[in-house]
Amino acid sequence: MCDDPPFEPGKQIEDLYQTESRRIFATLVRLVRDFDHAEEAMHEAFAAALEQWSESGIPQNPVSWLVSTGRFKAIDIIRRRKLFAEKQTEVIARIEAIDESNTVQSQREIADDTLRLIFTCCHPAIDPTIQVPLTLREVCGMTTEEIASAFLTKPATMAQRIVRGKAKIRDANIPYIIPQLSDLPERLDAVLSVIYLVFNEGYSASAGETLTRTDLSNEAIRLARQLFELLPDPEVAGLLALMLLHESRRKARQTLTGDIILLEDQDRTLWNRDLITEGNQLVEQSLSSGRFGIYTIQAAISAVHANAETSAETDWTQIVALYDVLLRANSSPVIELNRAVAIAMRDGAEAGLKIIDTILNRGELNSYYLAHSARGELLRRLHQFSKAKDAFALALSLAKQETDRRFLTRKLQELEKTS
Amino acid sequence: MKYMLLIYGAEETWTEEERKECMIESMGICDELEAEGKWIASSPLHSVTTATSVRLREGKRQITDGPFAETTEQLGGYYIIDVENLDEAIAIASRLPPAKKGTVEIRPLFPLPELAEKN
C-alpha cells in the first residue's frame, strides 16, 4: 500500500490528455491564432512528452510544459508549411516574442482561454448549424465521427461544417476574446442556446427511432458545468438546472421498448434524486439573484414537477404563475400552449381547451402536433370521444418521430375501445 | 484587417427626408472613422435603375441594362473600413442608419499579397 505507484508516463500522459488537452488547445489558439496549427501543435507536444518524460520524468507543471512545447511546435509547423512567406516571419516573430513566463500566466488565464474558445465557436456570425458541431469538436474534443453519429449525419457533412466554421473564424477574423460586459448578454444567449440544442438533440431526437442519445446530453451538461465554473451567471445556472432536472427523469420517461411515458404516469422512484437536489439548489441560487431569465423560469417549472411526490400533488397554481412570468419574458405560442395545459390541470379541462382553441383559431401552431395532441387529451377527459379521436388523428398525421407516432397510435386505440 | 460593408435595402422604403437624414448621419460616422484612421472609402450609389452590366462571352462583349433582380433589396452603397476584427466591424455596421431598414453585409477583403504567394 505504501509503495509508490509504478512510474507510467504513458498512462499519466493519457490521463492528462483526457482532462487537459482541450484547455491546452484553447491556450495554444490564443498564442498561435489558428485552430489547425494549434491542434497540430498540441498533438506534437503530447508526442514529445511521451518521448521525453519517460527519460527525464514528469515535469513539475506538466500543463505549462505542454503549452510551452506546443508553442515551439507551432513555430516549427508554420516554418514547415512555408505558406505565405512574408506573413510567416511576422507570425513566428509574434509567437517568439511571447515571454516564456507569459505563456501560462495563471490558472485564471487558462480558464479564460476556454471561455474565449466557447465564445468564438458560438459567435453569432457563425451559422447555428455550424456552431453546434464546431463547439463539440473544438471545446469538447469530440471527434468528427462521434459528432456525425450523434446527429445521425455523415461524417463528411460534419467535417465540411467544421472546416467552414474554422475558415470563417480565420478569414473574417472573428476575435478570440471574452465579449465585453455590454455585449455579454447577447453573446451568452448564443452560447446557452448551442448548449441547449446539444442537450435536446441528445434528449429527444428530432427524427429517427431512438428517443435518447445520452452522450450528447452528458456533453451538454458537462459544458454547462464548465461554463458555470468560469462564468457564474444566473442564466448559466438556470440552464444547467433545467438540463439536470430533465436528465433526472431519463430512466422513467420511456418503457423498455422505448415508448414514451408521460410525466404524470412516470414511476417517480426512478427519478435521480441527486440530480434533482442539484437542480433545485441551482434554481434557488439563480432566482435569488433577481437577474434570471427564460432558462431559470423553465427550470423552476421543472423543479415544481420534480418536487411533487405524486402527480396528484403537483402545485399547478405555482406552475401557472411561472408560465405567466415566462410568457412575459418570452411570448410564444408554444409557451401559451404549455400554460393552457397547466390551466387545465388547475381549473379543469374545459378552461384549458378554451385557451388552446383560441391559439389554434389565431392560426398559430396549426401544424404543431403537440397542440392537437393536448387538445385531444383534454377532449378525452371531457368525454367528447369522437372529437378527441379526430384531434389525435390530426396529431398523428403531423408527428414525425417514431416514438411520438407510437404514443399517438396507442391513444387512438384506447379511444377506439372506450367509444 | 479591411472589411467592406455593403448596404442593401429596398429603395422605395426611404422618403426624401429620411434619405437626407441618413446621408448626414452617415457622413458624421465617416468623419469619426476617418479621425480614428479606420475609414478608407465609402459612397452611396445611384438607384439600381441606372445600373449597366457587362459580360464577355466567347470574346464578345455584351452590354445590358440592369440587372433588375427579383429581390427587393438592392445594393445602395458601400464602406471600406480598416479595423481590428469582425466584432469591431459589426459594431460599426450596426451604427449605420440603413441597418435599421435594410441589411449591412460585412465582407472581409482578401489581402492581395497572400493571393500572389499562393500561386
Side-chain angles (χ1 to χ4, degrees):
Chain A
M1 287 282 266
C2 303
D3 288 347
D4 283 338
F7 183 57
E8 274 186 284
K11 173 81 181 75
Q12 292 202 28
I13 290 169
E14 210 185 298
D15 290 347
L16 260 178
Y17 187 86
Q18 286 295 331
T19 54
E20 305 293 340
S21 63
R22 286 344 275 177
R23 275 183 264 192
I24 293 167
F25 169 72
T27 296
L28 285 173
V29 173
R30 169 169 54 87
L31 300 174
V32 181
R33 296 192 202 169
D34 182 292
F35 277 56
D36 290 331
H37 290 163
E39 183 81 32
E40 211 176 325
M42 182 200 58
H43 283 284
E44 289 194 13
F46 270 97
L50 207 53
E51 207 170 278
Q52 290 179 31
W53 293 0
S54 37
E55 284 166 26
S56 58
I58 290 174
Q60 206 157 22
N61 187 342
V63 169
S64 126
W65 189 97
L66 285 160
V67 169
S68 155
T69 306
R71 180 163 72 101
F72 289 111
K73 294 291 177 192
I75 295 173
D76 290 346
I77 290 163
I78 294 163
R79 285 220 172 95
R80 282 205 303 269
R81 288 288 140 85
K82 288 197 178 132
L83 285 171
F84 313 147
E86 197 180 316
K87 215 178 154 197
Q88 178 184 315
T89 355
E90 188 191 312
V91 172
I92 291 171
R94 184 172 51 73
I95 302 176
E96 276 176 341
I98 301 162
D99 188 348
E100 184 74 8
S101 61
N102 226 2
T103 322
V104 182
Q105 283 161 328
S106 63
Q107 284 305 107
R108 182 65 238 173
E109 186 73 7
I110 294 177
D112 284 352
D113 283 332
T114 302
L115 264 187
R116 283 187 188 98
L117 189 60
I118 295 172
F119 277 112
T120 305
C121 292
C122 300
H123 195 284
I126 300 170
D127 191 273
T129 62
I130 296 175
Q131 287 174 359
V132 169
L134 192 64
T135 305
L136 289 172
R137 173 74 203 94
E138 307 303 333
V139 182
C140 305
M142 278 173 77
T143 65
T144 308
E145 289 73 19
E146 284 168 345
I147 301 166
S149 102
F151 283 87
L152 312 171
T153 48
K154 288 190 211 120
T157 312
M158 276 303 170
Q160 214 173 32
R161 287 190 200 164
I162 292 165
V163 166
R164 248 183 74 194
K166 287 195 284 193
K168 174 80 188 251
I169 291 169
R170 189 187 58 232
D171 297 338
N173 200 18
I174 292 178
Y176 196 60
I177 51 168
I178 299 165
Q180 312 170 337
L181 212 56
S182 59
D183 296 336
L184 200 58
E186 182 195 28
R187 295 289 307 276
L188 190 59
D189 270 355
V191 174
L192 297 180
S193 90
V194 164
I195 297 177
Y196 200 37
L197 267 175
V198 171
F199 179 82
N200 279 328
E201 190 66 29
Y203 199 67
S204 62
S206 49
E209 296 216 345
T210 44
L211 188 64
T212 54
R213 273 175 278 140
T214 326
D215 278 359
L216 282 180
S217 300
N218 287 340
E219 209 54 61
I221 288 172
R222 212 168 62 94
L223 198 54
R225 274 191 207 285
Q226 200 181 5
L227 184 64
F228 186 55
E229 214 172 277
L230 300 170
L231 197 78
D233 178 276
E235 269 300 82
V236 182
L239 175 62
L240 179 55
L242 178 61
M243 296 192 299
L244 291 172
L245 290 165
H246 278 318
E247 187 64 23
S248 74
R249 297 178 200 137
R250 184 180 288 280
K251 274 190 188 154
R253 63 196 286 268
Q254 54 181 330
T255 63
L256 290 174
T257 50
D259 281 323
I260 298 172
I261 305 175
L262 292 180
L263 193 57
E264 59 197 67
D265 303 322
Q266 288 176 10
D267 175 0
R268 297 187 178 216
T269 61
L270 291 176
W271 289 359
N272 183 325
R273 289 289 141 195
D274 291 341
L275 295 182
I276 291 175
T277 308
E278 195 187 349
N280 279 337
Q281 277 166 358
L282 286 162
V283 170
E284 274 167 37
Q285 192 181 332
S286 175
L287 286 175
S288 68
S289 76
R291 292 183 294 115
F292 55 86
I294 54 165
Y295 291 112
T296 302
I297 306 167
Q298 292 176 79
I301 293 169
S302 199
V304 176
H305 287 296
N307 298 328
E309 296 264 341
T310 63
S311 163
E313 285 167 75
T314 310
D315 185 349
W316 290 104
T317 305
Q318 202 184 348
I319 290 182
V320 171
L322 285 165
Y323 272 121
D324 288 337
V325 178
L326 187 57
L327 265 180
R328 275 201 297 278
N330 182 27
S331 145
S332 103
V334 172
I335 296 169
E336 274 183 74
L337 174 69
N338 290 331
R339 180 176 167 278
V341 173
I343 295 259
M345 295 306 291
R346 191 190 65 179
D347 304 338
E350 203 145 354
L353 192 62
K354 231 172 100 184
I355 303 174
I356 296 181
D357 284 340
T358 313
I359 303 169
L360 287 171
N361 283 339
R362 284 205 313 256
E364 286 169 304
L365 301 188
N366 281 340
S367 53
Y368 188 59
Y369 91 88
L370 279 173
H372 300 288
S373 162
R375 196 166 167 271
E377 177 57 27
L378 296 185
L379 285 164
R380 188 191 62 80
R381 284 185 212 163
L382 292 168
H383 297 280
Q384 302 187 26
F385 298 121
S386 152
K387 281 187 183 172
K389 252 193 293 187
D390 291 345
F392 277 119
L394 185 53
L396 180 62
S397 72
L398 294 166
K400 287 194 191 81
Q401 200 183 311
E402 197 44 46
T403 45
D404 297 333
R405 299 181 57 83
R406 281 211 302 274
F407 171 79
L408 293 166
T409 311
R410 219 165 57 223
K411 279 279 170 192
L412 275 169
Q413 283 163 354
E414 281 166 21
L415 276 168
E416 264 336 310
K417 280 180 215 156
T418 350
S419 50
Chain B
M1 182 95 186
K2 296 189 183 71
Y3 296 89
M4 186 164 192
L5 312 183
L6 300 119
I7 315 292
Y8 288 92
E11 290 176 354
E12 68 281 2
T13 55
W14 294 83
T15 64
E16 236 3 89
E17 188 67 21
E18 285 172 331
R19 208 179 292 273
K20 210 170 140 192
E21 259 173 54
C22 166
M23 294 286 180
I24 294 167
E25 207 180 327
S26 303
M27 269 150 59
I29 294 172
C30 286
D31 288 345
E32 211 178 293
L33 291 174
E34 193 173 16
E36 293 167 358
K38 293 172 183 168
W39 181 85
I40 294 178
S42 65
S43 179
L45 301 175
H46 268 297
S47 156
V48 74
T49 53
T50 65
T52 307
S53 296
V54 178
R55 294 176 188 81
L56 208 63
R57 296 289 181 274
E58 291 151 5
K60 228 183 130 193
R61 197 169 69 183
Q62 300 168 357
I63 300 167
T64 49
D65 195 3
F68 306 112
E70 300 293 314
T71 51
T72 49
E73 293 207 330
Q74 269 106 19
L75 185 63
Y78 70 91
Y79 292 72
I80 298 174
I81 55 172
D82 190 356
V83 293
E84 201 57 46
N85 53 46
L86 183 65
D87 281 359
E88 204 182 339
I90 291 173
I92 292 169
S94 48
R95 283 178 59 202
L96 300 176
K100 279 179 254 170
K101 288 196 175 197
T103 309
V104 182
E105 180 181 327
I106 305 172
R107 297 278 292 270
L109 261 59
F110 196 109
L112 274 171
E114 286 188 23
L115 181 69
E117 279 154 37
K118 261 187 180 170
N119 296 328

